[in-house]
Amino acid sequence: MPHGGIPGANVALIVQKYGGSSVADAESIKRVAKRIVDARRAGHDVVVAVSAMGDTTDELLDLAAQVAPIPAPRELDMLLSSGERISMALLAMAIHSMGFEARSFTGSQAGMITDATHGAARIVDVTPVRLREALDEGAIVIVAGFQGFNRDTRDITTLGRGGSDTTAVALAAALEADVCEIYSDVDGIFTADPRVVPKARKLGVVSAEEMLELAANGAKVLYIRAVEYARRHGVLIHSRSTFSSSVGTYVLGPGMTLPDGESGEEMEEPIVAGVATDLSQAKITVIGVPDVPGKAAEIFKVIAKSGANVDMIVQNVSAATTGRTDISFTLPKTDAATALKALAGDQAEIGFLSLVHDDQIGKLSVVGAGMRTHSGVSATLFEALSIAGINIEMISTSEIRISVVVRGDDLAEAARVVHTAYGLDGDSDAVVHAGTGR
Ligand code: ASP
Ligand code: MG
């Protein structure tokens, strides 16, 4: 039994991640410290990944923008990584004052080795030698989230917004932790955003593949890269609230099982796991494209070169009289201006007539592994929207997802009627702590 754990108790190595809203001020840091100490008292080894306090990262980005229009990526990473250093040191101090040993480590001290891409670095290796030593000496380990170190450039990197989730999962994988608990200000993964759909229910379990689709289509509680990493490395994620002790949602990868004693609230596989909404996309329509081979290739090559990330694409039948067609696609609102500029620059060569930009769209996605084996899933969606009088502008599907684009103003109502149509509504309204999920 290592470090004086309770004899007979189930000693585990637990990785916990606390988001910015959980460590927003001194009071919150003390609350989190107590939670960490509770896990230690129960006899577990505890490793914590922590985000920057509250909106620190946004404030630092803002400061950078005030001194330089385009801050140097290397310096921006130096700046942003400091946010997590503040919270890790404060958290370690708070734990000390409760009489427990804690040691904080930066990403590079913790052995988070990444590629050299500033602002969006990928973890390539984790060498947690110092963390193991600290654990062996009985300390609680606190690691600055969201950051790493590149061996070639010998520079500090950051992992991209929300990167502390990935830090936590990567630590859990490298240390072979029993569970990676991701704490935020919401109770877990819901069948829909409770602020949009009041009858949304917390899921006991969700599969990693469903979680990936939900996250890719607007659900904000967990970051895609963290879920991907967890699925690939067999890490069990438990998404739960800092503000309550109730069980949250387990994200299960292939072949993974729930920890002993957890039954999961609904082991029977529902056809649809959840409904995701996304207001962050815009639609661009290229009007009057000559309907000859090669034009779509030309258009999307230009878009790709502009760096925009295209999501849905629809091409209309061409008008026989003109031999021209319209092509619409969606992309993140933040990519639209560059994409439009790039297209306009090549208008003569491609030969289209005009461009229309629409940033008032909303995307609704229904996700469920049960779609593979059940028919009529899309009919239910279309019928619910039709009864509500909501017009569908675009449709796309994957193996376990159906997405539609509607007017942005219709999105919330669309989500509610679809949630009801799939039988996902809970008996009572979900308790919303006005959380952001971070
Ligand atoms: N502090 C970083 C951010 O706000 C990383 C994180 O919170 O996970 O994006
Ligand atoms: Mg943050």
Side-chain angles (χ1 to χ4, degrees):
M1 181 106 313
H3 346 300
I6 303 153
N10 228 342
V11 175
L13 173 59
I14 300 177
V15 173
Q16 301 187 331
K17 179 259 173 176
Y18 292 93
S21 63
S22 301
V23 291
D25 51 29
E27 261 337 288
S28 317
I29 289 174
K30 286 198 258 180
R31 187 185 316 120
V32 163
K34 181 169 178 310
R35 186 138 201 167
I36 294 167
V37 163
D38 284 347
R40 185 77 192 94
R41 276 209 182 100
H44 304 309
D45 284 335
V46 188
V47 174
V48 176
V50 68
S51 290
M53 295 171 69
D55 297 325
T56 301
T57 307
D58 291 308
E59 286 157 16
L60 292 174
L61 279 169
D62 208 60
L63 260 177
Q66 287 177 47
V67 297
I70 305 170
R74 177 187 186 277
E75 303 309 327
L76 196 56
D77 276 356
M78 289 300 250
L79 180 71
L80 295 185
S81 61
S82 69
E84 271 71 9
R85 289 181 71 150
I86 295 171
S87 46
M88 74 174 190
L90 289 171
L91 192 50
M93 291 173 197
I95 293 171
H96 294 159
S97 68
M98 298 176 70
F100 282 76
E101 169 65 6
R103 233 169 278 167
S104 68
F105 297 92
T106 64
S108 63
Q109 287 177 318
M112 281 288 155
I113 310 301
T114 71
D115 66 16
T117 321
H118 286 296
R122 290 199 166 256
I123 297 168
V124 294
D125 195 11
V126 184
T127 52
V129 182
R130 297 200 60 188
L131 310 191
R132 283 227 171 78
E133 280 169 11
L135 287 172
D136 287 344
E137 287 163 27
I140 293 166
V141 167
I142 316 286
V143 178
F146 168 65
Q147 55 187 271
F149 176 79
N150 179 258
R151 280 183 175 137
D152 301 324
T153 62
R154 286 171 291 160
D155 276 328
I156 303 291
T157 55
T158 62
L159 309 178
R161 297 310 304 268
S164 303
D165 285 11
T166 319
T167 301
V169 171
L171 288 172
L175 296 165
E176 295 176 21
D178 297 84
V179 64
C180 181
E181 299 181 331
I182 301 203
Y183 287 89
S184 71
D185 57 5
V186 296
D187 289 337
I189 313 299
F190 282 72
T191 50
D193 183 341
R195 287 165 300 178
V196 177
V197 181
K199 291 251 184 296
R201 279 182 301 117
K202 189 187 74 189
L203 292 163
V205 182
V206 68
S207 71
E209 65 165 353
E210 288 167 327
M211 191 60 236
L212 283 171
E213 287 278 7
L214 288 168
N217 291 285
K220 292 190 188 66
V221 181
L222 294 175
Y223 273 82
I224 297 175
R225 277 168 74 174
V227 180
E228 259 167 9
Y229 201 105
R231 180 170 66 163
R232 222 171 329 119
H233 292 85
V235 173
L236 175 66
I237 291 180
H238 182 191
S239 161
R240 58 192 307 193
S241 167
T242 312
F243 304 99
S244 91
S245 56
S246 55
V247 174
T249 306
Y250 286 97
V251 183
L252 290 187
M256 285 164 58
T257 50
L258 287 172
D260 291 347
E262 297 290 354
S263 59
E265 276 152 40
E266 47 206 274
M267 285 314 283
E268 204 198 314
E269 273 272 298
I271 299 170
V272 166
V275 176
T277 49
D278 186 0
L279 281 169
S280 71
Q281 295 209 346
K283 180 169 85 173
I284 291 176
T285 303
V286 190
I287 293 180
V289 181
D291 196 7
V292 295
K295 287 299 162 188
E298 281 179 45
I299 288 172
F300 288 102
K301 247 185 244 162
V302 172
I303 309 281
K305 248 175 71 191
S306 83
N309 212 338
V310 171
D311 183 18
M312 290 194 205
I313 302 174
V314 168
Q315 177 175 337
N316 291 332
V317 275
S318 65
T321 46
T322 60
R324 287 176 184 273
T325 180
D326 300 340
I327 296 179
S328 296
F329 58 92
T330 64
L331 74 181
K333 273 181 185 163
T334 45
D335 288 349
T338 351
L340 283 165
K341 206 169 142 212
L343 278 174
D346 281 7
Q347 177 166 5
E349 269 162 81
I350 303 172
F352 63 85
L353 300 178
S354 59
L355 293 169
V356 175
H357 175 210
D358 177 357
D359 63 0
Q360 301 296 310
I361 61 164
K363 181 171 140 188
L364 172 96
S365 302
V366 174
V367 173
M371 286 184 198
R372 285 208 182 85
T373 44
H374 289 79
S375 57
V377 182
S378 47
T380 304
L381 169 64
F382 301 147
E383 191 178 4
L385 294 177
S386 133
I387 292 168
I390 294 170
N391 189 39
I392 300 170
E393 299 182 15
M394 299 169 101
I395 302 169
S396 81
T397 62
S398 83
E399 227 189 332
I400 64 162
R401 174 182 56 83
I402 313 164
S403 299
V404 295
V405 166
V406 299
R407 283 294 90 205
D409 287 342
D410 288 338
L411 186 61
E413 199 202 340
R416 287 190 286 270
V417 298
V418 168
H419 196 267
T420 305
Y422 285 110
L424 294 173
D425 287 358
D427 298 332
S428 57
D429 286 4
V431 185
V432 183
H433 310 291
T436 57
R438 305 306 312 148

